[in-house]
Amino acid sequence: MDLELRHLRIVRAVADAGSVSKAASLLGLAQPALTAQLKRIERVLGGALFERDRHGARPTRLGELVLARARVLLPAAKELQDEAVRFAHAPSPGFRIGATNGPILGGLVDRLAAERTVSTYTSWSTHELNSMVELGRLDYVLTGACGDSGTPTGTLLWETISVDPVFCLVNDDHPAAREKEVELSDLAGEQWAVTPGDGCFADCFAMACARAGFTPGTIYETDVPTCTHLAQVGRAVVLCQATHQPAQGLTMVPLAGAPLRWRQLLGRHPTAPEAAWVVAQAKQAHMDAVRRSPIYYDWLVRNPGYGTAP
């Protein structure tokens, strides 16, 4: 058996407590188990570390030597551990951004990368990304929530980047593709496709359909390429963010009255670097996305209460 830091902690605990029984209580061990462990440590070190009698335990000369070294090594090891954790979780010189599926991450990365290094991590799970920011593994998280839901709870600081309507994607031959906007009730007989997430969007969609007088049929929850394919072949109508850029063969159509809304949110760790500047860049990235979408830009002219947050 080699000597380990935990053995030095045992020796220090016995010396500080003045008896094996008290040390066992402090360490949460049974006294016989601690006594056996102490004997094994003494065998490794070559002699008795304590003189034990009914009055307690007192260090021998060898014990005094071991204790002197332990009182230096144990704090040093703890300091090393704490420093390593701080270093591992310290903000990087650049920006570490997590994001769920959304159309403005690329624009934000492009803007930030012009000034700093940027790393990204994507996930369907908002909870996973939020946890990574709380643990210091990410600086920011770009995510979203239904328009009527509250701001996520926890230690993160949140900014609303935009409030956007949810539009739909249909293939170019779909009757709705020729309309300036479509009533949700006119799509009652359709199948649907959405990207996955762990928020309340599915519930919000079901309630919007109920208000429109129907229960939605099959809902395919899948990745963006599969959603795109299902819409292109006419298998499903895709629910999308208004800043989405449709693929070839697809038309984005607003839903009349905006029965579904989506808030783009930027969460950050309290120590995240250059927060005000990053928030401003996220809002600019959203404005850029709006300008690239003539359908949404035109819709905003008629519905000025939406778009990039002030």
Side-chain angles (χ1 to χ4, degrees), residues 64-278:
E64 293 284 4
L65 171 65
V66 174
L67 274 171
R69 299 295 177 88
R71 296 191 192 284
V72 173
L73 291 173
L74 291 174
K78 180 64 167 61
E79 183 178 353
L80 172 60
Q81 181 179 350
D82 292 344
E83 186 175 351
V85 170
R86 287 194 300 270
F87 181 84
H89 292 166
S92 66
F95 302 104
R96 301 168 300 171
I97 302 175
T100 53
N101 173 58
I104 70 171
L105 175 62
L108 176 60
V109 169
D110 182 43
R111 285 178 163 274
L112 299 183
E115 302 288 339
R116 302 283 192 280
T117 58
V118 179
S119 63
T120 59
Y121 178 84
T122 57
S123 172
W124 298 116
S125 173
T126 298
H127 296 310
E128 177 190 5
L129 294 170
N130 291 355
S131 295
M132 291 178 70
V133 177
E134 289 177 342
L135 293 172
R137 295 170 60 191
L138 294 171
D139 302 311
Y140 294 91
V141 56
L142 184 63
T143 183
C146 290
D148 296 326
S149 63
T151 301
T153 58
T155 60
L156 275 60
L157 304 175
W158 292 93
E159 295 279 350
T160 297
I161 302 304
S162 67
V163 179
D164 302 309
V166 173
F167 288 173
C168 66
L169 288 175
V170 297
N171 69 24
D172 292 342
D173 296 326
H174 193 286
R178 298 185 292 272
E179 303 295 333
K180 197 173 189 67
E181 61 181 19
V182 62
E183 295 286 345
L184 182 58
S185 58
D186 292 339
L187 302 172
E190 299 287 349
Q191 299 182 85
W192 302 87
V194 296
T195 53
D198 52 10
C200 62
F201 183 77
D203 293 333
C204 292
F205 176 55
M207 287 188 290
C209 292
R211 289 193 294 269
F214 71 97
T215 299
T218 301
I219 301 176
Y220 301 103
E221 189 175 83
T222 185
D223 55 46
V224 174
T226 303
C227 284
T228 299
H229 177 76
L230 291 174
Q232 287 172 328
V233 299
R235 180 61 61 186
V237 173
V238 176
L239 296 168
C240 68
Q241 297 177 38
T243 45
H244 180 78
Q245 296 294 303
Q248 185 176 4
L250 295 180
T251 298
M252 186 167 68
V253 185
L255 294 171
L260 291 165
R261 296 180 298 154
W262 187 255
R263 286 185 300 140
Q264 292 281 352
L265 300 172
L266 184 69
R268 68 179 188 274
H269 192 276
T271 63
E274 302 186 56
W277 184 71
V278 173

Side-chain angles (χ1 to χ4, degrees), residues 17-22 31 50-58:
S19 76
V20 174
S21 61
K22 291 180 181 178
Q31 182 175 337
F50 295 94
E51 294 178 356
R52 294 185 283 267
D53 57 30
R54 62 188 180 86
H55 298 295
R58 296 177 302 280

